[in-house]
Amino acid sequence: MSLYEDNLKGFVLALLSSVFIGASFIIKKKGLRRAAAVSGVRAGYGGYAYLLEPLWWLGMFTMIVGEVANFVAYAFAPAILVTPLGAISIIVSAVLAHFMLKEKLHKLGVLGCVMCISGSVVIVIHAPQESPITSVQEIWMMATQPAFLLYLGSVIVLVVLLILYFAPRCGHTNVLVFTGICSLMGSLSVMSVKALGTALKLTFEGKNQLVYPETWFFVFIVVTCVITQMNYLNKALDTFNTAVVSPIYYVMFTSLTILASVIMFKDWDGQDMGSIVSELCGFIAVLCGTIVLNSTKDSDRGSSFRGGHAPLSPTLSTGLFNGNRESPKHDEENAALPDEICLRKQDRY
């Protein structure tokens, strides 16, 4: 199978993953609303009626399908191609919410969608071709090369420093602490997921990789990183405004993931400077589009979820420099919005 065909498969899987996951947010949200209407108790206030709602389970099934497709995509295409395409799920969610949930998509939101799509197209056109990998031991050699070990050591030191020193002191006042931990661990989880996905792909092709201890070590790393990542992402979403956490997390997570992939898999080796610059420009366009799209959602929540309350969320810059910690009233209101968890998708791996 040619490398171009592998890239194409990875692209299609990543695109389908974003479509399924973006749609799942809306399906689950409709299920939550329907369950709340029947039981009179919303999930955020302790209601579990949604567990009896078929529509909610359909949304959950759709999300699982999307996550599986995303996992498999990393086995075929480089992370520099797959990871930025996660922004497409935000576009799908925003567009479907506009038509199905009557949540208005403002002109600025449309601009954000166009920027994400344009940037994704540029990344796809100039995405690098990966070198063929024949065994999980080959990936292990990439993971133990000095350059990546330096990155790995830096990540571990920063994570330990953030968890033990900064989190107790300013974790609840500075949004960059919790999101930094999530993003750093997320970059390692993506590398491990790609290694594990490649091992499974080779196994299904008849080259059993499950007999190698390296495969199971990557499984351990995936589980450890994802649990840590989700734990601190939950803390960030519980402490700060979601509209601030989401774009910051997406920017940091995607940037670090691409950096880790470039170091470990040498994605840019053999590419000319023009292609690399084009990929970076496309990446920046996706990041800017994501921030713009998320900034328009903040005002929508004020009318869509809070029963006429005026939106109280500060700006992104306020959140960065002043912490943007939400008041108890905000915390209580956000607790009633389980569907906002959809923005956590950007943590996938």
Side-chain angles (χ1 to χ4, degrees):
M1 182 181 294
S2 70
L3 296 177
Y4 173 78
E5 290 176 341
D6 275 355
N7 261 20
L8 182 60
K9 282 189 175 182
F11 165 70
V12 171
L13 285 168
L15 195 61
L16 288 175
S17 168
S18 294
V19 171
F20 274 106
I21 290 173
S24 73
F25 300 153
I26 306 304
I27 298 172
K28 288 200 298 181
K29 185 169 182 177
K30 288 183 73 69
L32 288 167
R33 287 183 174 181
R34 183 179 295 179
V38 173
S39 66
V41 182
R42 298 183 65 173
Y45 288 101
Y48 293 97
Y50 63 88
L51 294 176
L52 302 175
E53 174 55 51
L55 195 59
W56 185 85
W57 283 108
L58 176 61
M60 181 59 67
F61 175 76
T62 306
M63 174 169 281
I64 292 173
V65 172
E67 294 289 358
V68 171
N70 184 71
F71 176 86
V72 178
Y74 280 108
F76 288 97
I80 197 172
L81 169 61
V82 176
T83 305
L85 291 177
I88 302 298
S89 65
I90 304 175
I91 299 175
V92 173
S93 179
V95 173
L96 290 180
H98 177 78
F99 292 104
M100 298 178 64
L101 301 177
K102 307 305 179 184
E103 296 176 7
K104 186 176 180 182
L105 181 62
H106 299 289
K107 291 181 179 179
L108 196 59
V110 175
L111 174 62
C113 292
V114 172
M115 292 174 68
C116 287
I117 294 174
S118 302
S120 298
V121 170
V122 172
I123 292 174
V124 170
I125 291 174
H126 296 278
Q129 301 291 335
E130 280 191 315
S131 300
I133 297 175
T134 57
S135 73
V136 71
Q137 292 175 314
E138 187 176 340
I139 302 178
W140 179 258
M141 292 179 62
M142 296 178 183
T144 54
Q145 61 184 305
F148 189 75
L149 287 177
L150 178 61
Y151 175 81
L152 176 62
S154 302
V155 167
I156 293 174
V157 170
L158 286 173
V159 168
V160 170
L161 192 62
L162 287 170
I163 291 176
L164 298 182
Y165 182 81
F166 287 101
R169 290 168 173 78
C170 54
H172 294 280
T173 57
N174 191 323
V175 68
L176 295 178
V177 176
F178 291 151
T179 53
I181 296 171
C182 298
S183 303
L184 289 165
M185 295 301 288
S187 68
L188 297 183
S189 70
V190 168
M191 297 302 100
S192 301
V193 162
K194 181 166 181 59
L196 181 57
T198 303
L200 293 176
K201 173 191 171 187
L202 292 172
T203 299
F204 290 137
E205 290 176 353
K207 304 173 184 178
N208 188 9
Q209 303 297 305
L210 301 180
V211 297
Y212 298 112
E214 290 88 349
T215 301
W216 299 104
F217 180 80
F218 284 126
V219 171
F220 171 75
I221 296 298
V222 168
V223 173
T224 303
C225 289
V226 169
I227 290 176
T228 306
Q229 187 180 355
M230 291 306 301
N231 177 44
Y232 284 94
L233 181 58
N234 287 335
K235 289 185 178 183
L237 290 168
D238 185 59
T239 305
F240 303 99
N241 192 293
T242 308
V244 173
V245 173
S246 297
I248 294 175
Y249 173 56
Y250 181 80
V251 170
M252 294 176 66
F253 165 70
T254 309
S255 301
L256 289 169
T257 297
I258 290 177
L259 175 61
S261 182
V262 168
I263 295 174
M264 180 172 171
F265 293 100
K266 303 185 182 302
D267 291 331
W268 285 344
D269 282 14
Q271 278 201 299
D272 58 81
M273 185 57 64
S275 295
I276 295 175
V277 171
S278 297
E279 290 169 25
L280 291 175
C281 290
F283 174 54
I284 292 172
V286 172
L287 295 184
C288 293
T290 302
I291 294 173
V292 169
L293 187 55
N294 274 282
S295 68
T296 63
K297 289 183 178 181
D298 196 31
S299 59
D300 288 340
R301 289 193 195 100
S303 58
S304 299
F305 297 122
R306 294 178 179 168
H309 291 290
L312 303 176
S313 304
T315 62
L316 177 60
S317 58
T318 305
L320 272 171
F321 297 108
N322 296 332
N324 191 27
R325 186 177 182 184
E326 298 181 301
S327 64
K329 181 176 181 180
H330 266 88
D331 291 338
E332 181 180 348
E333 289 173 339
N334 284 342
L337 307 179
D339 39 83
E340 285 189 14
I341 296 175
C342 68
L343 290 175
R344 301 180 191 180
K345 167 62 188 68
Q346 295 157 1
D347 78 63
R348 303 207 279 276
Y349 295 108

